[in-house]
Amino acid sequence: MNPTLTKERFRRLFRAYLLESESVAAEKGLEPYHFSKLFKKEHKVSERICNPGMCIQMAKVYISQYATFLASPSKTFLVEEVARPVITEAEQKDLELARAEARPLTEFLCAFNITDELEDLMSKYLKGTRAAVVGAFEEWLQNKGSQFFWLCAPAGMGKSVAMALLCERFPEEILAVHFCRHDIEERRGPKQILRSLAHDLALRLGPYREELLRSRKDLKGGMADATVNHIWDQLIVKPLRRAFPTNQPPPSRPIVLLVDALDESKYQDDPKGLLYILRRNLKLLPNWVRFAVSSRPEVKIMEELKAYKPVRIQCDEKQNRDDIRLFVEDKLGGEIGSHLSEEERRRASEVLCTKISGMFLYAARVLGQLDKLSGTFKVSDLDDLPANLDEYYEQTFSKAFPFQQSKKEEAKENEERLARLHSLHSLLEVVVAGQREFTLAELAELAMPVSATPGNKIEEAFGLLEPLSGLLRRFERRPQCKVRFNHKSVRDWLTDFEERSDPLLGPDRSVSQRYFISESKGHETLAGRLRHLLPRDSGVAEEEGEEGKEGKEGKKDARRSRGAACKETKPAPDDGLFDYAIQHCGFHALQYLKRRGKGQDHSEGQEYSEGKDHSEGKEETIIMQYFTSLRVYEEHLVKFPHRTTGLISLLSEAETAAEAQASSGHPLVIKHAELHQFHRWAMACLPEALRQNEPLCIYPLALGFPDTFAPSRIARQTMRAWLSRVPPKHRVTIANKPSGLSPQLLQLKGHTSDVTSAAFSPDGKRVV
């Protein structure tokens, strides 16, 4: 049943209920004409009711409240207020029903729960502020000639809070919401953004959901290797046009898809990604479908979207200064300034508004610092506050981790300070490079010395991060507490080495440069630690320790290695770090390799944490270990089937890196030929395993390749380990297997006409 209740159906149900309730109405002393008055009011909320059963319940509430109203005319009757609990219940039940119906769509859509995040953002909002943004958005909704709303402001101006405010103020118009996050990989990709918007839209828009369900099989098969533009066309444009054809009336309100923090997405990686769509393909949508985004004024975004006029929030504009003043006066009027007189609060407000210079994030930081001094600070103390956000971060770090020039009498103390600072660097580098939020326990396991016990690691990690809790979001002394910066500007300050370089200091660093961390080192640390969690192909001798061995001793060691691999047990499936290693270990090794090649490792003078493996070619070895393990592909298909396309793309990047090493004369630690063979195998077999819904298919499918191919060789060597696990219907019999592989990479099926042209790749090695 379609849960969406149209206005006409609401009226029919409502009339039926009124007729059936005449006896009840008579008992309550209601006259018939009251029913007509009641009926006139239902249109105000009828479009918000989606559950037919709730319609009847709301009608009962109306009649009961009218009876109360007639018995006591002094009471004010507000239809919206009376019906709100019933409407809320109706919406919740309708959402549950919609989720149940849309559950099959999660096979190719992305569902992100950001309810807590929106609530956290709204807790920072002060009533009466950002009226200009709300007014501009409301005016844009009424303007039928524009489909794009763009809120543009520098870092720390409260863009995310403003977008959360719009979501709360306009719930009937904003049906799909996505908040990009720089520290969560899954929420940054353009493909994931579009799939997330499609999922939200499917929950809120019944006809659109039915259209996706109708074409679910085709969509599921076509999303595996789809481009951003293809996803936009197949998931957004065409389903909306089919659900609401031009010969039918459109929805009574515009439908808005909202994306916050576009600058935190991966817009740089794809020249025909999300920015291209917003610039060129937005007109393909029906004119009642709108797009709203927020971003920083970054150069590429400004160039790509120059055809649109942004709504700007600038530090020195009057409306923003008034909002800051209102925010400061509200905080000083509370506990922070309770010890000050009226005149002192006025002077304190003037001093703070001048120092804050229109930046909301800095205002929140400074007032939070004053909150810790509540009841003790004087107005004259405000002059000692940091002058800007960068100085605030520098002051916070220097207080928590003071750094002094070494003296003979303080040599030991300085050595301890340096050791703590280096340990802090390791923790923060892992936080910056991580592709999701790590818990405190996970962070301690990944960044602290391997020789320490788990309990000591957690305690030491907490002791290092606790002084910086003001820069972390909801940081607590719990192993499962997630560690993340409370704003992207903290990350930018820590990693922006060039901005804080001071050539006048010579070899010494300025104070802020001592706290600089290297994202490249974070990738190195993560790759090194995660490699030990990767599963091994049982029966395949490890390369490490065997190279260079000769004679009988070498053969004995190889047999012992194979025996140990066969006995190796599979890590627990609920191990968060094991799952993370399966998905991201190869990515971190590749990122470090790229940054090392570009010279982006600026961490001179920083010591490595104890337990790190810094041998030459370590990243190359990890890349081979990750991308040439059939067990890794099996686990990836089991745990992350919807990320298979990303895994193949990553394998392609590894092959490109190996090819670059080969052409540059670099010592070949990455074996280009072997990676190329795995790439060929992955493109052919991983989609087939997904289609058959059986990850173990990759082993028998690998046997179909020539014996000289690496995947086939490994599948043959590990047959004792996987053959008993493969269901009989998925086993294959290989007959007349070719000795070599055809140069054909991929076959495009469906073309029935003559082929009249061919296209060569730029390097001349491939032809279509």
Side-chain angles (χ1 to χ4, degrees):
M1 179 186 69
N2 180 8
T4 304
L5 185 63
T6 64
K7 192 171 183 178
E8 288 303 317
R9 177 159 173 73
F10 178 90
R11 287 178 174 174
R12 288 199 299 271
L13 288 169
F14 196 77
R15 286 194 183 102
Y17 176 76
L18 292 179
L19 291 174
E20 293 173 3
S21 304
E22 284 183 354
S23 59
V24 178
E27 292 177 4
K28 293 183 176 291
L30 290 173
E31 297 295 333
Y33 70 89
H34 288 135
F35 288 140
S36 62
K37 291 181 179 180
L38 183 61
F39 184 75
K40 289 179 181 179
K41 292 182 178 291
E42 55 83 16
H43 73 277
K44 294 183 179 180
V45 291
S46 63
E47 292 181 350
R48 296 180 63 187
I49 297 297
C50 298
N51 188 300
M54 290 298 101
C55 163
I56 304 300
Q57 185 177 342
M58 192 179 76
K60 293 179 181 179
V61 172
Y62 275 160
I63 289 183
S64 176
Q65 290 296 325
Y66 255 90
T68 305
F69 172 69
L70 292 176
S72 179
S74 61
K75 295 180 180 179
T76 303
F77 179 78
L78 298 175
V79 174
E80 288 282 351
E81 185 175 348
V82 170
R84 187 173 295 121
V86 181
I87 292 171
T88 302
E89 184 180 352
E91 291 174 339
Q92 289 176 349
K93 290 189 175 182
D94 179 57
L95 187 60
E96 291 174 4
L97 182 60
R99 281 176 177 157
E101 288 188 354
R103 192 166 293 120
L105 301 178
T106 56
E107 295 175 345
F108 54 89
L109 300 183
C110 297
F112 299 112
N113 187 358
I114 61 170
T115 304
D116 292 342
E117 194 168 334
L118 289 174
E119 290 178 357
D120 182 62
L121 288 169
M122 286 306 299
S123 68
K124 302 173 184 177
Y125 170 70
L126 176 64
K127 188 177 181 179
T129 59
R130 292 301 179 235
V133 175
V134 175
F137 188 82
E138 197 165 14
E139 182 180 348
W140 171 72
L141 287 176
Q142 297 171 358
N143 178 15
K144 295 183 179 180
S146 174
Q147 285 184 278
F148 190 69
F149 178 86
W150 179 15
L151 180 63
C152 184
M157 298 299 292
K159 296 184 295 297
S160 294
V161 173
M163 297 299 268
L165 175 63
L166 294 180
C167 293
E168 184 178 90
R169 290 283 182 88
F170 302 94
E172 304 303 321
E173 290 81 9
I174 301 176
L175 300 190
V177 178
H178 183 89
F179 276 56
C180 299
R181 281 273 301 276
H182 67 93
D183 53 350
I184 299 182
E185 178 72 11
E186 286 78 7
R187 284 171 57 177
R188 297 180 60 215
K191 297 179 182 179
Q192 285 82 359
I193 292 173
L194 293 179
R195 289 171 176 169
S196 169
L197 293 173
H199 181 269
D200 282 6
L201 206 55
L203 292 182
R204 300 286 302 278
L205 208 56
Y208 173 78
R209 176 171 65 251
E210 292 175 355
E211 193 60 45
L212 289 183
L213 287 169
R214 192 175 295 116
S215 53
R216 177 168 63 95
K217 291 184 178 180
D218 294 336
L219 290 173
K220 180 183 176 182
M223 291 295 111
D225 54 352
T227 63
V228 176
N229 202 49
H230 181 77
I231 292 175
W232 165 261
D233 186 57
Q234 297 298 316
L235 287 187
I236 306 292
V237 178
K238 288 184 177 178
L240 280 172
R241 289 195 172 277
R242 288 196 297 263
F244 299 93
T246 54
N247 59 354
Q248 294 183 9
S252 57
R253 295 184 178 90
I255 290 174
V256 179
L257 286 68
L258 183 145
V259 177
D260 176 58
L262 189 62
D263 54 283
E264 296 186 24
S265 70
K266 291 183 174 180
Y267 67 89
Q268 310 97 327
D269 297 349
D270 190 352
K272 290 196 174 182
L274 198 55
L275 288 179
Y276 177 85
I277 287 172
L278 295 175
R279 177 169 58 91
R280 299 285 299 273
N281 295 347
L282 205 57
K283 59 187 178 182
L284 299 178
L285 290 172
N287 57 10
W288 43 266
V289 180
R290 315 277 188 90
F291 232 97
V293 304
S294 70
S295 76
R296 296 184 186 184
E298 296 188 354
V299 175
K300 185 173 181 179
I301 295 178
M302 300 300 291
E303 289 179 354
E304 290 288 331
L305 303 181
K306 61 184 178 182
Y308 302 110
K309 184 179 179 180
V311 175
R312 293 183 178 273
I313 305 178
Q314 297 179 342
C315 293
D316 56 351
E317 66 180 6
K318 182 180 183 303
Q319 184 63 53
N320 185 62
R321 292 200 307 269
D322 292 344
D323 288 347
I324 289 287
R325 184 176 297 278
L326 187 62
F327 181 73
V328 170
E329 289 176 352
D330 178 76
K331 295 297 182 182
L332 290 177
E335 294 184 6
I336 295 178
S338 58
H339 64 290
L340 300 175
S341 65
E342 192 68 32
E343 177 62 21
E344 286 176 327
R345 277 200 293 269
R346 187 189 64 78
R347 284 166 46 207
S349 177
E350 292 293 335
V351 172
L352 286 173
C353 288
T354 303
K355 188 175 285 288
I356 287 168
S357 302
M359 185 175 288
F360 252 101
L361 178 62
Y362 181 51
R365 294 279 192 265
V366 168
L367 290 166
Q369 190 171 329
L370 292 178
D371 191 24
K372 297 178 181 179
L373 305 174
S374 182
T376 60
F377 73 89
K378 300 177 182 179
V379 177
S380 57
D381 297 335
L382 300 180
D383 294 330
D384 298 329
L385 289 172
N388 51 50
L389 199 58
D390 284 353
E391 191 173 314
Y392 170 80
Y393 291 146
E394 183 176 313
Q395 190 179 97
T396 302
F397 271 83
S398 59
K399 283 182 178 179
F401 298 90
F403 187 94
Q404 297 179 359
Q405 297 297 324
S406 60
K407 300 178 182 178
K408 288 184 179 180
E409 63 273 13
E410 295 180 348
K412 185 176 180 180
E413 185 179 350
N414 281 333
E415 187 177 341
E416 293 175 355
R417 287 197 189 101
L418 278 174
R420 292 192 74 227
L421 189 58
H422 291 154
S423 298
L424 177 71
H425 283 159
S426 297
L427 285 170
L428 296 181
E429 284 163 356
V430 170
V431 172
V432 165
Q435 299 303 294
R436 67 163 172 82
E437 297 172 347
F438 292 120
T439 65
L440 183 61
E442 290 174 339
L443 188 60
E445 183 66 29
L446 291 169
M448 301 308 291
V450 294
S451 57
T453 61
N456 290 341
K457 287 180 183 179
I458 295 174
E459 285 300 317
E460 188 175 349
F462 177 82
L464 289 168
L465 294 174
E466 197 275 335
L468 304 176
S469 58
L471 306 180
L472 303 173
R473 183 176 181 265
R474 297 179 181 178
F475 185 66
E476 300 173 357
R477 195 190 195 102
R478 293 185 297 106
Q480 298 307 312
C481 172
K482 292 187 176 181
V483 181
R484 59 165 287 201
F485 299 123
N486 54 19
H487 196 269
K488 185 173 180 285
S489 60
V490 184
R491 181 190 188 280
D492 294 342
W493 183 83
L494 284 168
T495 57
D496 201 352
F497 178 79
E498 298 299 334
E499 288 293 325
R500 290 182 279 137
S501 297
D502 189 348
L504 299 179
L505 293 175
D508 296 328
R509 290 181 169 190
S510 69
V511 173
S512 62
Q513 288 175 30
R514 295 175 188 136
Y515 305 111
F516 164 77
I517 61 174
S518 167
E519 184 176 353
S520 177
K521 292 297 270 275
H523 287 297
E524 181 191 20
T525 301
L526 284 166
R529 292 293 178 89
L530 294 172
R531 71 176 297 189
H532 301 295
L533 300 176
L534 293 176
R536 303 297 179 93
D537 290 315
S538 300
V540 179
E542 294 184 22
E543 292 183 8
E544 301 171 19
E546 294 177 15
E547 296 180 1
K549 293 182 180 180
E550 297 178 358
K552 296 181 179 180
E553 290 299 320
K555 294 179 181 179
K556 290 180 180 178
D557 288 344
R559 284 195 295 269
R560 282 195 291 268
S561 178
R562 283 193 290 270
C566 289
K567 296 177 181 178
E568 185 177 354
T569 58
K570 178 181 174 181
D574 59 345
D575 186 349
L577 286 183
F578 173 71
D579 291 354
Y580 186 85
I582 290 295
Q583 191 174 8
H584 293 298
C585 181
F587 167 81
H588 288 299
L590 270 174
Q591 287 299 310
Y592 177 69
L593 199 66
K594 291 178 182 178
R595 291 167 183 270
R596 189 182 67 186
K598 294 179 181 179
Q600 293 182 9
D601 188 359
H602 302 296
S603 52
E604 291 184 21
Q606 292 187 17
E607 296 178 5
Y608 297 138
S609 298
E610 180 186 346
K612 290 184 181 178
D613 178 11
H614 299 282
S615 58
E616 184 67 27
K618 182 191 68 173
E619 272 57 47
E620 290 88 341
T621 304
I622 297 173
I623 287 171
M624 291 303 298
Q625 178 183 338
Y626 182 83
F627 289 109
T628 61
S629 169
L630 293 181
R631 277 291 306 282
V632 168
Y633 291 99
E634 177 196 339
E635 294 290 347
H636 203 287
L637 287 172
V638 170
K639 297 176 180 297
F640 312 104
H642 55 294
R643 306 287 184 204
T644 303
T645 305
L647 178 61
I648 296 174
S649 300
L650 204 62
L651 178 53
S652 177
E653 290 184 35
E655 183 186 356
T656 303
E659 190 174 8
Q661 278 194 356
S663 60
S664 64
H666 189 278
L668 297 183
V669 183
I670 304 182
K671 300 177 181 178
H672 173 249
E674 196 164 331
L675 283 179
H676 176 69
Q677 293 168 4
F678 264 92
H679 190 201
R680 295 280 302 271
W681 163 82
M683 289 194 298
C685 297
L686 297 190
E688 179 64 19
L690 281 177
R691 190 185 67 79
Q692 297 188 27
N693 197 26
E694 180 51 71
L696 289 169
C697 280
I698 62 173
Y699 295 102
L701 288 173
L703 292 177
F705 283 73
D707 292 339
T708 55
F709 252 51
S712 178
R713 185 179 67 252
I714 293 175
R716 194 168 58 255
Q717 292 173 345
T718 60
M719 189 178 295
R720 289 178 56 188
W722 58 259
L723 188 59
S724 60
R725 296 189 291 131
V726 177
K729 66 176 182 178
H730 292 295
R731 297 175 188 172
V732 296
T733 301
I734 305 298
N736 301 322
K737 185 165 63 170
S739 58
L741 198 66
S742 162
Q744 175 181 303
L745 292 176
L746 185 65
Q747 182 179 3
L748 304 176
K749 298 180 180 180
H751 184 83
T752 56
S753 303
D754 295 336
V755 177
T756 58
S757 63
F760 288 86
S761 63
D763 59 5
K765 295 181 179 180
R766 298 175 180 87
V767 63
V768 178

